[in-house]
Amino acid sequence: MVASVAASAFFPAPSSSSIASCKASRSINESPESLSVRGIVAKPASSSGAVQVKAHAQAPPKVNGTKVSLKVESQINEEAPSAPRTFYNQLPDWSFLFAAVTTIFLAAEKQFTLVDWKPKRPDMLADAFGLGKIMQDGMVFRQNFSIRSYEIGADRTASIETLMNHLQETALNHVRSAGLMGAGFGSTPEMTKRNLIWVVTKMQVLVEQYPSWEDVVQVDTWVAPSGKNGMRRDWHVRDYRTGQTVLRATSVWVMINKQTRRLSKIPDEVRAEIGSYFMDHDPIIDDDGRKLSKLGDDNADYVRTGLNPRWGDLDVNQHVNNVKYIGWILESAPISILESHELAGITMEYRRECGKDSVLQSLAAISSDSCDHGSLDTGFDCQHLLRLESGAEILRARTEWRPKRAHVP
Amino acid sequence: MAAMLWCSTSQGPIRSPEATPAAQCGPLRNWAGVRTVRCACKAISGLEVAVAATAAAASGEKGVGEKGLAERLRIGSLLPDGLSYKECFIIRCYEVGINKTATVETIANLLQEVGGSHAQSLGFSTDGFATTPTMRKLGLIWVTSRMHIEIYKYPAWGEVIEIETWCQSDGRMGTRRDWILWDLATGEVIGRATSKWVMMNEKTRKLQRVSDEVREEVFVHCPRTPRLAFPEENNGSLKKIPKLDDPAQYSRLGLVPRRADLDMNQHVNNVTYIGWVLESIPQEIIDTHELQTITLDYRRECQHDNIVDSLSSPEVSENGSTNGVVSSSPYVHDQELQQFLHFLRLSGSGLEINRGCTVWRKLAR
């Protein structure tokens, strides 16, 4: 599925020793130039039009159920003032998105003018169609999701993949609704001139409680600088009804040259475009700086081989959507762990991506420095490795597990 | 997850019988008959239930049931005559596939979702099986025997589709559920689907006839006169699917269920089979065509530790060409169509899991 969106795109990143150009990449070799949308430029007018449409589309959630009308929310327009209407894109090849977005804006415009859409229940306009909106001076984007029945796992709670999918969706919608998609692939104009794109290198998620079917979660997301030349995107997900935290997540992105795959500093011109969107906000998860070690056949406790992507796993570039990796990581965890424990956290380092023809292996090892995994009363950690049969690393991860709490079905 | 219905007098939840009755309300009685659910406090029709929920929400009631928030925020609801259910869905970015449009698995998931919502709005169980009280007493569940989906226009990311669904009896053995899908913006029909269901004993996995008791419980909520998503004669949903000739032209062997494919009872869910069927379609078709129609006959269930082979061959029509698909549907224009026959089998024994047929139309690139 789509989008190697914001959170998911990444490129065959070279080995950790140096971010040199990656010639061995088996990934994004199809050039966006082949897509016809190259010539479309997001004019500020249409961006603001988009923001306006968004205002049409939803209304601020009101927990106490006061009626909300469908009128244009003028404050949304105010949140996108004379600030540059460009944004960097975390995703390579966003030209497809561009075409999609243009269509969406037009369609959405039609949706709410042609169709005499009256909500069946006046109190539930809140994010009626889940388009989300920008909050807080235009920095934070918020969107609600109700958990659908097919997103529930065997224990009747939303799966970690479902929650990660929501993170992807909000990142993409943030960029779209802020009118920040620049020309071409969502890189800002200055980035595009220099053939620069963002790639995600690390992602960390801490889950406090898993929602159930029909729960509604509220996802907030924002971006911030990461070091001198990186970007961080954080998420805070809460239960809409109780306000309690569902999960917190943080991701780190670096800028690379699309052609050479070399790391790049953020040019001053780009910084001028995007700097105002960076929030001055501490990372929502503290980085404990633990390194993810490499597993091999000799030190893995569990190995699962012959993992194949299906058609439905692929995004528009025919790369595997990286949320699927989590499923594969968990495939190598023995079922006994999954029955008695729940995933409390996951940290991932992205190395390389894969396509339909890849055959993957998932390795897992219980961390020796965590508690005896025979004791089910406590939590423990696992190390993971996802690699191609050839040995090339796709992803390293660490998962943290805690005993399941009883929850009300 | 108990079905939550609101009792407007006590302002508390009515729980369906199998759950613990709430303090204020007595257990539900009388499923048969008209569309009423009785609470110890008051008898309310299904429609009043929806209105009461709105009123409760609008007046900012505290102590609103924990489950049911999405119900209140949901766009879906029973239609005024109570005989069908409509809900809207926005297509999310991760539900879109290589064609930049929603995948057929996404569509199938949404059909399942709206079917479940319909069942829940009627007070059926919400454990995913939509069982009536009698069925639960007897340990019976619904299982799909056939699924037929036609998509005329796939929605893209951010588009909103509206799905209407209803159910009715299907002979003496089972029920059927039909769906119509619209693009909310344009109002055009973008797809239709129909499915057949039979009752099975959960433990013995043996099929069972639909008893009159169950029939009353279920069909009180269904249209009196038959209403079909595919009313036209000789439509695709009626097609008999032959067994694939051996050897199949294309195959994908050794498919394995993932954790995410399994339902709460460790059986592979219906939508996963669609993905498996498509696995053996060759890349040339995937790159140039999109799926217009899929018909699947479910024969045998698949467990988490099974290995599956997916086989397919182009289907040759009577006149010998592979393009000879006669489309009786008013929605499908004459165009180059490719048709395939499919067979899913257990890897070791060769036993049939399901058989199917797909029709593909050329993508306008």
Side-chain angles (χ1 to χ4, degrees):
Chain A
M1 326 275 178
V2 148
S4 308
V5 172
S8 61
F10 63 88
F11 305 75
S15 67
S16 51
S17 54
S18 71
I19 313 276
S21 65
C22 189
K23 300 207 167 61
S25 81
R26 52 175 310 171
S27 60
I28 313 189
N29 43 22
E30 71 287 334
S31 67
E33 284 81 352
S34 60
L35 294 174
S36 59
V37 295
R38 196 100 204 278
I40 300 175
V41 176
K43 299 189 177 37
S46 62
S47 299
S48 67
V51 176
Q52 257 175 344
V53 168
K54 182 142 316 304
H56 275 297
Q58 50 73 32
K62 296 266 195 290
V63 179
N64 60 5
T66 56
K67 291 189 188 222
V68 186
S69 72
L70 275 185
K71 296 199 303 288
V72 175
E73 302 284 339
S74 54
Q75 74 262 23
I76 297 204
N77 287 328
E78 285 157 29
E79 276 149 16
S82 53
R85 296 201 180 270
T86 53
F87 193 73
Y88 41 77
N89 159 28
Q90 301 89 326
L91 176 67
D93 304 330
W94 263 25
S95 4
F96 80 88
L97 254 185
F98 217 59
V101 167
T102 314
T103 318
I104 289 159
F105 291 160
L106 298 175
E109 188 90 59
K110 271 196 329 195
Q111 219 156 294
F112 298 102
T113 49
L114 286 186
V115 177
D116 184 16
W117 182 76
K118 286 191 175 33
K120 294 190 169 68
R121 301 183 201 166
D123 66 318
M124 56 162 198
L125 289 184
D127 242 35
F129 291 133
L131 291 172
K133 66 174 203 165
I134 295 189
M135 321 277 295
Q136 210 177 314
D137 308 323
M139 301 296 239
V140 175
F141 179 80
R142 169 173 292 177
Q143 183 171 359
N144 297 337
F145 295 88
S146 74
I147 307 295
R148 294 177 180 163
S149 63
Y150 56 89
E151 296 175 325
I152 301 296
D155 56 2
R156 302 180 187 232
T157 58
S159 61
I160 182 74
E161 288 107 319
T162 298
L163 299 175
M164 298 280 297
N165 280 331
H166 293 163
L167 303 187
Q168 274 199 7
E169 174 80 357
T170 49
L172 195 54
N173 283 332
H174 182 190
V175 172
R176 179 178 74 146
S177 69
L180 294 178
M181 302 230 277
F185 341 133
S187 299
T188 66
E190 294 296 331
M191 284 175 71
T192 310
K193 271 193 230 170
R194 295 164 176 74
N195 260 316
L196 297 173
I197 48 179
W198 291 104
V199 286
V200 62
T201 54
K202 185 170 173 178
M203 179 113 179
Q204 194 178 356
V205 182
L206 288 179
V207 184
E208 294 187 22
Q209 51 174 328
Y210 283 86
S212 308
W213 181 33
E214 296 221 294
D215 283 350
V216 176
V217 296
Q218 179 176 76
V219 182
D220 285 351
T221 184
W222 60 93
V223 288
S226 171
K228 275 201 66 195
N229 288 299
M231 172 180 74
R232 203 179 78 230
R233 177 176 279 283
D234 286 358
W235 294 266
H236 189 183
V237 181
R238 297 181 188 83
D239 180 309
Y240 179 77
R241 185 186 58 89
T242 64
Q244 289 188 322
T245 294
V246 165
L247 70 82
R248 290 174 291 140
T250 183
S251 57
V252 176
W253 303 74
V254 296
M255 191 176 273
I256 66 167
N257 183 297
K258 199 161 69 81
Q259 249 81 54
T260 67
R261 319 312 276 196
R262 286 177 121 70
L263 256 192
S264 164
K265 292 200 206 303
I266 301 182
D268 290 335
E269 293 88 342
V270 175
R271 205 175 281 284
E273 288 174 317
I274 65 178
S276 60
Y277 288 92
F278 280 166
M279 272 187 81
D280 183 13
H281 193 294
D282 284 336
I284 197 167
I285 299 176
D286 287 324
D287 189 356
D288 58 12
R290 278 192 284 170
K291 284 245 154 279
L292 298 185
S293 52
K294 181 166 179 171
L295 283 182
D297 296 296
D298 48 334
N299 56 0
D301 296 325
Y302 309 102
V303 179
R304 182 81 189 247
T305 57
L307 298 170
N308 293 299
R310 300 175 189 164
W311 289 119
D313 298 332
L314 305 180
D315 64 21
V316 292
N317 299 312
Q318 301 215 14
H319 299 129
V320 174
N321 177 339
N322 84 334
V323 173
K324 297 292 173 186
Y325 295 136
I326 297 173
W328 283 327
I329 286 171
L330 299 180
E331 285 286 325
S332 61
I335 195 95
S336 54
I337 291 183
L338 297 175
E339 284 168 352
S340 58
H341 287 65
E342 65 181 16
L343 192 64
I346 181 167
T347 305
M348 291 170 287
E349 280 175 13
Y350 298 100
R351 303 287 165 123
R352 195 176 265 99
E353 65 202 332
C354 63
K356 181 75 167 66
D357 296 329
S358 310
V359 182
L360 292 96
Q361 301 177 334
S362 175
L363 288 76
I366 314 271
S367 283
S368 52
D369 59 344
S370 65
C371 303
D372 177 5
H373 70 279
S375 154
L376 295 184
D377 298 329
T378 55
F380 58 91
D381 288 1
C382 287
Q383 304 275 9
H384 301 267
L385 181 75
L386 206 56
R387 67 181 185 201
L388 298 176
E389 273 182 337
S390 61
E393 272 188 58
I394 304 286
L395 172 77
R396 284 186 198 181
R398 179 181 59 240
T399 50
E400 291 147 38
W401 299 84
R402 61 170 172 247
K404 272 186 186 165
R405 308 163 192 155
H407 59 266
V408 180
Chain B
M1 277 163 275
M4 293 287 287
L5 302 174
W6 282 96
C7 169
S8 55
T9 49
S10 66
Q11 298 301 340
I14 308 169
R15 291 173 187 271
S16 52
E18 79 278 15
T20 318
Q24 297 100 334
C25 303
L28 282 168
R29 314 176 235 140
N30 190 8
W31 281 90
V34 203
R35 302 179 286 283
T36 55
V37 294
R38 282 181 210 284
C39 162
C41 324
K42 184 179 151 146
I44 349 178
S45 72
L47 304 178
E48 288 175 31
V49 167
V51 169
T54 311
S59 59
E61 294 290 330
K62 290 251 164 51
V64 155
E66 291 84 36
K67 305 296 178 266
L69 179 67
E71 173 82 21
R72 288 188 296 118
L73 294 179
R74 187 195 296 277
I75 309 222
S77 60
L78 286 168
L79 263 54
D81 63 1
L83 299 178
S84 68
Y85 183 90
K86 256 190 190 178
E87 189 167 348
C88 293
F89 299 94
I90 187 171
I91 304 299
R92 298 175 182 164
C93 68
Y94 52 89
E95 296 172 326
V96 166
I98 60 177
N99 291 331
K100 305 167 199 172
T101 53
T103 60
V104 64
E105 287 109 317
T106 297
I107 303 288
N109 277 328
L110 294 178
L111 297 183
Q112 205 160 276
E113 173 79 2
V114 71
S117 300
H118 182 200
Q120 197 222 14
S121 73
L122 298 174
F124 291 177
S125 79
T126 56
D127 54 4
F129 297 119
T131 48
T132 67
T134 303
M135 288 174 70
R136 277 192 294 285
K137 229 178 6 185
L138 301 172
L140 301 170
I141 55 173
W142 294 115
V143 288
T144 326
S145 62
R146 169 173 272 222
M147 186 80 181
H148 177 85
I149 305 176
E150 289 183 14
I151 311 285
Y152 312 116
K153 178 166 171 295
Y154 282 88
W157 170 51
E159 287 181 4
V160 179
I161 62 174
E162 183 172 47
I163 308 182
E164 184 184 357
T165 184
W166 64 95
C167 59
Q168 53 207 323
S169 71
D170 182 57
R172 293 223 62 91
M173 284 299 291
T175 69
R176 62 185 295 148
R177 178 173 281 285
D178 286 48
W179 297 264
I180 304 185
L181 298 83
W182 289 271
D183 179 335
L184 189 71
T186 62
E188 57 172 320
V189 172
I190 58 165
R192 297 182 290 167
T194 181
S195 58
K196 285 156 115 68
W197 300 74
V198 292
M199 255 186 351
M200 180 174 82
N201 185 300
E202 200 175 4
K203 297 258 171 2
T204 67
R205 315 307 285 186
K206 281 188 148 31
L207 296 184
Q208 197 119 347
R209 232 198 65 198
V210 182
S211 71
D212 291 332
E213 233 179 338
V214 170
R215 190 179 298 281
E216 256 180 51
E217 285 174 325
V218 172
F219 300 130
V220 70
H221 303 287
C222 303
R224 296 282 178 276
T225 53
R227 179 187 172 196
L228 303 172
F230 297 89
E232 63 269 23
E233 283 201 14
N234 295 324
N235 65 73
S237 71
L238 302 170
K239 179 191 162 107
K240 211 163 146 54
I241 300 178
K243 186 169 173 179
L244 201 49
D245 285 332
D246 211 2
Q249 188 159 337
Y250 307 106
S251 63
R252 184 72 190 237
L253 309 177
L255 297 167
V256 175
R258 299 172 182 169
R259 301 255 162 81
D261 298 329
L262 304 175
D263 66 20
M264 291 171 284
N265 300 304
Q266 304 289 306
H267 294 122
V268 172
N269 82 53
N270 290 340
V271 176
T272 303
Y273 296 117
I274 296 178
W276 282 343
V277 157
L278 300 184
E279 277 296 297
S280 56
I281 294 280
Q283 177 105 33
E284 313 83 82
I285 298 292
I286 298 281
D287 287 341
T288 55
H289 288 65
E290 67 179 359
L291 184 66
Q292 174 164 289
T293 302
I294 178 164
T295 314
L296 280 185
D297 279 336
Y298 296 86
R299 298 289 168 105
R300 188 175 267 101
E301 321 179 82
C302 188
Q303 321 279 6
H304 64 100
D305 52 359
N306 287 141
I307 303 177
V308 172
D309 294 336
S310 171
L311 309 171
S312 58
S313 292
E315 183 166 25
V316 178
S317 69
E318 279 85 58
N319 63 13
S321 79
T322 54
N323 268 358
V325 176
V326 176
S327 173
S328 55
S329 162
Y331 301 97
V332 178
H333 308 294
D334 221 52
Q335 49 190 306
E336 228 178 279
L337 299 173
Q338 295 281 347
Q339 188 158 321
F340 289 84
L341 272 183
H342 300 274
F343 196 76
L344 279 187
R345 67 175 185 214
L346 290 175
S347 220
S349 57
L351 289 171
E352 177 177 353
I353 298 175
N354 64 33
R355 61 175 65 177
C357 129
T358 53
V359 178
W360 300 75
R361 62 171 173 258
K362 216 159 164 62
L363 277 166
R365 285 227 196 265

